Amino acid sequence: MVVPDLNRLVALLTVARERNFTRAAALLGVSQSSLSRTVTGLEKELGMLLLIRTTRSVSATEAGQRLLDSVGPKLDDIAAELMAVTELREKPVGTVRISATDYAANQYVWPKLQDLLRNHPDLHVELINDYGLSNIVAERYDVGIRLGDQVEKDMIAVRIGPDETLSIVGAPSYLRNRPAPEKPNDLKLHNCINLRLPTKQTLMAWELKKGRKSIEMRVDGQLVFNNAYQMLDAALRGFGLAYLPKALVESEVRAGRLCWVLEDWHPTFTGHHAFYATRRQSSLAVRLVIAALRGQ
């Protein structure tokens, strides 16, 4: 019975997840040629091809995918347990990877983590801008930040922010030469600044609510971004109407640089939550990050 070296399995798993030998080598701290030899050695040891290599990408064969599906979660569990053992020193170490939109990161995450990081220099954080609603387990994030209704049911979640209202705004310079919308369908006559959702490869619908009425609008316009702050800047410069968190734009409205549009239709959603998978619950680093985000 052939029992592959654990390091070879880790190498295979990393290459398959990254779909690229160069990125995987950088993560593992080895050369690309050394990593290629390691994976090739595993394939020779098992007597079958595990990865399909092309000049542009790497993908798993059927045998390789079966091995990854069965072994990958176990290797992740081993890594989590090793991290838990190191934390017996009662000192948080390692890297906590967080998935959040740019707005949520600026509003609810980064301000709350600064004191924690200053007090624990061995704790590292990767804060990744993510509008794709990624599966945090599959993408190897430790913590996700989402609106409450977007959190997967099998996750442990804690609220870190108040209810969130989304609003439509436009600059006075934009609205000066065209009538402001009076009903949702009027948005079709306007230049609307859109947000691209990478996972679905589509533009985010503008969900509007008034009383019990709820409408999803698909709008058009000259500009598409995947960053809320670029959308805000474009709206301030008069390029069109933008659909953005009220907390992000209300200071600009008070200053007269933006105006509310269709204010009666602005929807309110359950506030942002931090969530994480059960198997990460024992990580001291994750627990400290969650406590900081809750303001504890």
Side-chain angles (χ1 to χ4, degrees):
M1 176 180 176
V2 177
V3 181
D5 183 283
L6 188 60
N7 289 329
R8 288 181 173 182
L9 290 173
V10 171
L12 174 70
L13 180 66
T14 306
V15 174
R17 283 175 168 173
E18 294 299 321
R19 296 179 178 272
N20 183 281
F21 272 90
T22 302
R23 289 197 299 269
L27 285 174
L28 294 171
V30 299
S31 68
Q32 183 178 344
S33 59
S34 174
L35 179 59
S36 181
R37 288 194 300 271
T38 298
V39 174
T40 300
L42 177 60
E43 291 176 319
K44 289 181 178 178
E45 187 176 353
L46 295 178
M48 62 182 66
L49 189 66
L50 300 174
L51 295 177
I52 299 173
R53 299 129 167 111
T54 69
T55 56
R56 293 188 175 182
S57 66
V58 177
S59 59
T61 64
E62 182 179 356
Q65 192 61 53
R66 179 174 177 177
L67 182 62
L68 294 168
D69 289 342
S70 61
V71 174
K74 295 179 176 65
L75 290 176
D76 289 339
D77 287 339
I78 291 171
E81 289 303 320
L82 289 173
M83 180 64 72
V85 169
T86 64
E87 290 171 352
L88 292 176
R89 297 179 298 175
E90 297 183 355
K91 183 179 181 182
V93 297
T95 299
V96 177
R97 301 185 72 241
I98 304 174
S99 162
T101 64
D102 51 351
Y103 165 72
N106 282 8
Q107 189 82 357
Y108 302 113
V109 181
W110 173 232
K112 297 179 179 180
L113 292 184
Q114 295 177 33
D115 287 342
L116 176 67
L117 292 170
R118 289 191 181 99
N119 293 332
H120 299 285
D122 291 328
L123 174 62
H124 300 258
V125 167
E126 288 186 21
L127 183 52
I128 308 300
N129 182 27
D130 176 20
Y131 274 99
L133 300 180
S134 298
N135 181 313
I136 65 168
V137 175
E139 298 297 327
R140 291 179 294 154
Y141 289 109
D142 298 290
V143 179
I145 310 295
R146 302 282 185 271
L147 291 173
D149 296 338
Q150 297 172 334
V151 176
E152 298 171 11
K153 300 302 182 183
D154 58 345
M155 295 289 169
I156 300 172
V158 296
R159 181 187 276 262
I160 62 171
D163 285 352
E164 200 76 59
T165 297
L166 288 175
S167 61
I168 304 174
V169 290
S173 61
Y174 173 80
L175 295 169
R176 190 174 298 127
N177 299 318
R178 51 185 61 77
E182 296 182 358
K183 56 185 182 298
N185 278 339
D186 293 343
L187 292 171
K188 296 178 180 179
L189 305 175
H190 282 264
N191 199 7
C192 296
I193 302 165
N194 271 299
L195 176 72
R196 172 74 65 186
L197 298 176
T199 299
K200 299 181 179 179
Q201 289 298 308
T202 187
L203 303 179
M204 187 179 82
W206 292 19
E207 185 174 346
L208 307 178
K209 293 181 181 179
K210 183 178 182 180
R212 295 185 178 181
K213 290 184 178 180
S214 180
I215 301 174
E216 275 196 0
M217 295 293 302
R218 298 288 177 178
V219 296
D220 294 316
Q222 187 179 16
L223 289 168
V224 177
F225 295 106
N226 66 346
N227 182 300
Y229 295 89
Q230 290 174 332
M231 296 173 66
L232 173 58
D233 182 69
L236 286 167
R237 295 176 187 273
F239 281 95
L241 303 179
Y243 182 69
L244 291 164
K246 182 178 180 181
L248 178 61
V249 300
E250 56 187 351
S251 63
E252 304 292 351
V253 174
R254 287 197 300 268
R257 291 185 286 268
L258 290 175
C259 303
W260 301 124
V261 174
L262 291 175
E263 190 172 2
D264 290 345
W265 286 89
H266 292 180
T268 297
F269 300 95
T270 304
H272 281 86
H273 285 61
F275 64 96
Y276 55 105
T278 304
R279 66 182 178 82
R280 295 291 189 189
Q281 188 174 8
S282 61
S283 166
L284 176 59
V286 169
R287 291 202 304 271
L288 286 176
V289 166
I290 294 294
L293 294 179
R294 297 181 71 181
Q296 296 178 338

